Amino acid sequence: MEAEIRAEFESSGFSIGGAGPEDAAQILSTLLSYCINYKMSPADLISNWEVYYLNRQLDGLKLERSYLDGFLSHLQNEVKERLIEEEANLHVYSSNDVDVLLNNSHTDEAAFLDTPGSKQEKPPAESSNTELTPLTSDRPSSSRVAKTNGDRITPFATRVNKFTQQYVLNSDNAASMPSKHEAETTEDELIRRIQPSQRCSLQVQRSQPEPGCRFMYDRMEDRFNYLKDRIRKLATLFSASGLCGEPADATLASEEKMFAVGMVTCDGEGRLNEKSILLQGSVEHSRGERVRLDLKDLDHFSLFPGQVVGIEGHNPSGHCFVASKLIDSIPVSVDAQLPSAKKQAVHNGSHHQNSDAGTLSRALSSVIAAGPYTTTDNLLFEPLQELLSYACRKQPQLLILMGPFIDSDHPDIKKGTVDQSFHDIFYSEVLRKIQDFTQYLGNTVRVILIPSVRDAHHDFVFPQPAFDLNLSEDITHQISSLANPSLFSSNQIHFGCCTVDILKQISGEEISRKPPGGKPGDRIGRLATHILKQQSYYPLYPPAAGVPLDFSLAKEALEISSTPDVLLLPSDLAPFVKVLSLGEGSDDQKQFICLNPGRLARGIGGGTFVELYYNEDTSRTNASIIRI
């Protein structure tokens, strides 16, 4: 089994080693004990290691003894979360629970001494306050907010170090951003970077499919046409660049160097590795046939199933294409491809919307978060309420909320123990709070809701239509819902968003090789740039398990027709905000911001969100990852 563990790590690009062979043997022995103790296969072990490796952003591809303690803690946390999901009534006690019991013992005694009559005489607002409003000046305290019908204080309400900054982008220019402790105070207001009376514009470039669309009707023909069109489109862009020759048939035997375009596939059902890589050509040039790829002459590459690449090399035998150069980016300017004819201006209550949009500066204050919005031990949506209270103090121009809102993975939702329909929970616990928030701030704020395939109350399909909110006319200009994925702009700043965890899914399938002696690269950044280079929100094929990809809806909905200024990719991986570049040459580089706000709720505790202030370009943009 130790040999299997070593083989799994090596096939994923990792090596096991230390100061000598004895260290490597001890590491393998420790990993074997992890497999036995936690009942995991070598494949499960490497999957957990990749998640730990990405979240900790470790340097190098060598597993050393110093990483084992942290990896063990990660495995223990995974087992604990799995137990909590399997046993909804099981609670894993910690020191926080002890503090709660010690600090509130007198409350339990008082409750015990109370008669039933005295409890009935309490006003309803004090006995139960699950309807939380941040609108009045005397907002309820967190201890009062967190009480359920049984006067139970939730672990989320007893957390410490609220609203602390974990990371700041461009901290040298972040004079207008709140300090680490300023975000926690309610009295000190953030200096307004943009006057509250200045309303941001909102234009939708792409939000498909439409609500009420038919899905689950895709055929094998739709799947074939989707893949054929992807390969043909990128092959056309490669040819139009002038840097590559006309694509040829990579399956034909030839000693001459040729250029071919095709999609990376695996020769089996398992994980991609260097010996299982196939190149599937286009229908026009190679009738869609596949040929094995030999990458031994390449000093670096990064590949995953479904990726469309350009390959230079030769095929001496007709059975194996020996690559000498790999091109994974499209050397063409995509700025001119913005579908201006399809722009849809969202009504803002003024018939001067289109004329005002051109005069607005490229500056925008925003708060960005991704679900789940409630902890796993209840459906009180306390993290959502805390986020809206924070936004009431900061007063951003734009609040972007990405699903899941009613998480299908929540223990109460999975077991069906709720006494309301999923739609009723969404409208009463989520949408009503957001409506109260917009009424409190007035017309100066916009809210965008983007669904997730994990939303139990919405269509289980990807691409996914927007929510059908059925709002009153006086508030429709403030709250908008877009499809998943979608492309929109606010104050001439273009946003792209996809709530499917494509980063985590690609990270589990990608294989890479770094140049000899080269420094460890930014893997998260590399995964994010793959999405724009492939000009698709979901370039992975076949899709990961649990992704209901409908190919009859995917052709236009998944296409990234313009490079956004901000790319939103919520993921279970560690939250980040990065400035990334497209293009190899200095004159052809296109910089954009890619961010993962993390999950607003994690288990029974709080998660993270992002506060973003975009100012003209990436160099003057400030962003903070804030733990709620």
Side-chain angles (χ1 to χ4, degrees), residues 554-602:
K555 181 178 179 180
E556 292 186 359
L558 297 187
E559 180 184 357
I560 301 181
S561 55
S562 63
T563 303
D565 298 303
V566 182
L567 182 61
L568 308 179
L569 298 176
S571 172
D572 290 334
L573 301 178
F576 64 85
V577 179
K578 294 179 180 292
V579 177
L580 304 175
S581 300
L582 287 178
E584 301 295 334
S586 60
D587 297 334
D588 193 32
Q589 285 191 349
K590 165 68 177 179
Q591 286 193 331
F592 66 97
I593 292 177
C594 182
L595 64 88
N596 166 27
R599 304 298 182 185
L600 192 67
R602 283 188 174 273

Side-chain angles (χ1 to χ4, degrees), residues 83-94:
L83 287 174
I84 293 175
E85 290 180 359
E86 294 175 354
E87 217 33 74
N89 297 325
L90 178 65
H91 179 72
V92 180
Y93 284 90
S94 64

Side-chain angles (χ1 to χ4, degrees), residues 149-206:
N149 291 335
D151 288 338
R152 176 174 60 89
I153 303 296
T154 62
F156 178 82
T158 60
R159 72 196 191 283
V160 295
N161 298 327
K162 303 177 183 179
F163 299 110
T164 57
Q165 289 182 353
Q166 291 188 314
Y167 172 80
V168 179
L169 176 68
N170 293 336
S171 57
D172 295 339
N173 301 326
S176 61
M177 299 296 288
S179 65
K180 182 174 182 179
H181 298 289
E182 182 184 350
E184 203 171 335
T185 60
T186 59
E187 302 298 333
D188 298 332
E189 293 290 340
L190 179 68
I191 299 176
R192 299 292 179 262
R193 296 176 288 263
I194 299 178
Q195 293 297 324
S197 59
Q198 186 175 6
R199 178 180 174 81
C200 67
S201 65
L202 180 61
Q203 289 181 315
V204 181
Q205 275 78 39
R206 177 159 294 160

Side-chain angles (χ1 to χ4, degrees), residues 413-589:
I413 300 296
K414 292 176 73 173
K415 293 194 173 185
T417 57
V418 294
D419 55 359
Q420 291 179 288
S421 70
F422 299 149
H423 283 88
D424 290 343
I425 297 175
F426 174 73
Y427 281 98
S428 63
E429 297 293 341
V430 177
L431 196 57
R432 184 179 299 176
K433 289 180 171 62
I434 296 174
Q435 288 178 302
D436 293 342
F437 164 75
T438 55
Q439 291 174 3
Y440 175 71
L441 290 186
N443 294 328
T444 62
V445 65
R446 286 186 184 273
V447 181
I448 295 178
L449 307 181
I450 302 175
S452 165
V453 294
R454 285 167 52 184
D455 274 310
H457 69 295
H458 197 44
D459 298 335
F460 184 65
V461 63
F462 181 73
Q464 192 174 24
F467 294 129
D468 191 3
L469 300 179
N470 294 322
L471 297 173
S472 58
E473 293 184 0
D474 60 339
I475 203 170
T476 53
H477 64 282
Q478 286 185 271
I479 303 176
S480 305
S481 179
L482 303 182
N484 170 35
S486 57
L487 176 67
F488 62 94
S489 62
S490 181
N491 287 4
Q492 305 180 50
I493 302 165
H494 301 290
F495 290 81
C497 174
C498 177
T499 60
V500 171
D501 197 347
I502 182 61
L503 287 179
K504 185 177 180 180
Q505 293 171 13
I506 290 184
S507 70
E509 299 291 341
E510 183 217 31
I511 62 169
S512 62
R513 179 190 297 168
K514 66 175 182 177
K519 295 182 179 180
D522 177 12
R523 192 182 185 207
I524 292 290
R526 185 174 72 239
L527 298 177
T529 54
H530 275 316
I531 295 172
L532 290 187
K533 288 178 179 179
Q534 294 294 299
Q535 299 188 4
S536 172
Y537 284 109
Y538 199 86
L540 187 65
Y541 183 84
V547 177
L549 183 57
D550 190 317
F551 290 92
S552 65
L553 305 174
K555 181 178 179 180
E556 292 186 359
L558 297 187
E559 180 184 357
I560 301 181
S561 55
S562 63
T563 303
D565 298 303
V566 182
L567 182 61
L568 308 179
L569 298 176
S571 172
D572 290 334
L573 301 178
F576 64 85
V577 179
K578 294 179 180 292
V579 177
L580 304 175
S581 300
L582 287 178
E584 301 295 334
S586 60
D587 297 334
D588 193 32
Q589 285 191 349

Side-chain angles (χ1 to χ4, degrees), residues 275-473:
K275 296 183 179 180
S276 66
I277 301 177
L278 302 178
L279 184 72
Q280 178 175 333
S282 63
V283 175
E284 292 81 2
H285 297 98
S286 62
R287 304 164 301 283
E289 295 183 0
R290 299 179 177 183
V291 64
R292 189 170 300 278
L293 275 183
D294 187 347
L295 306 177
K296 64 182 180 181
D297 294 335
L298 299 181
D299 60 349
H300 69 281
F301 60 81
S302 172
L303 298 174
F304 60 89
Q307 182 182 12
V308 179
V309 296
I311 299 284
E312 283 187 1
H314 62 285
N315 188 352
S317 64
H319 303 288
C320 183
F321 191 88
V322 182
S324 59
K325 182 179 180 181
L326 186 146
I327 306 173
D328 64 349
S329 60
I330 309 301
V332 63
S333 174
V334 292
D335 293 341
Q337 299 176 14
L338 184 65
S340 56
K342 297 183 180 180
K343 285 183 180 179
Q344 172 191 356
V346 177
H347 180 63
N348 71 341
S350 171
H351 61 278
H352 298 295
Q353 157 73 14
N354 293 332
S355 60
D356 293 343
T359 61
L360 292 173
S361 62
R362 280 171 51 88
L364 180 73
S365 60
S366 60
V367 171
I368 303 167
Y373 292 93
T374 187
T375 53
T376 56
D377 57 340
N378 60 60
L379 287 171
L380 297 179
F381 290 87
E382 297 168 90
L384 174 63
Q385 187 62 51
E386 291 282 355
L387 177 71
L388 296 178
S389 298
Y390 179 88
C392 283
R393 299 195 300 272
K394 303 304 176 184
Q395 297 191 13
Q397 293 175 293
L398 184 64
L399 176 63
I400 302 175
L401 301 179
M402 298 173 284
F405 295 91
I406 309 301
D407 189 9
S408 58
D409 290 337
H410 192 282
D412 292 344
I413 300 296
K414 292 176 73 173
K415 293 194 173 185
T417 57
V418 294
D419 55 359
Q420 291 179 288
S421 70
F422 299 149
H423 283 88
D424 290 343
I425 297 175
F426 174 73
Y427 281 98
S428 63
E429 297 293 341
V430 177
L431 196 57
R432 184 179 299 176
K433 289 180 171 62
I434 296 174
Q435 288 178 302
D436 293 342
F437 164 75
T438 55
Q439 291 174 3
Y440 175 71
L441 290 186
N443 294 328
T444 62
V445 65
R446 286 186 184 273
V447 181
I448 295 178
L449 307 181
I450 302 175
S452 165
V453 294
R454 285 167 52 184
D455 274 310
H457 69 295
H458 197 44
D459 298 335
F460 184 65
V461 63
F462 181 73
Q464 192 174 24
F467 294 129
D468 191 3
L469 300 179
N470 294 322
L471 297 173
S472 58
E473 293 184 0

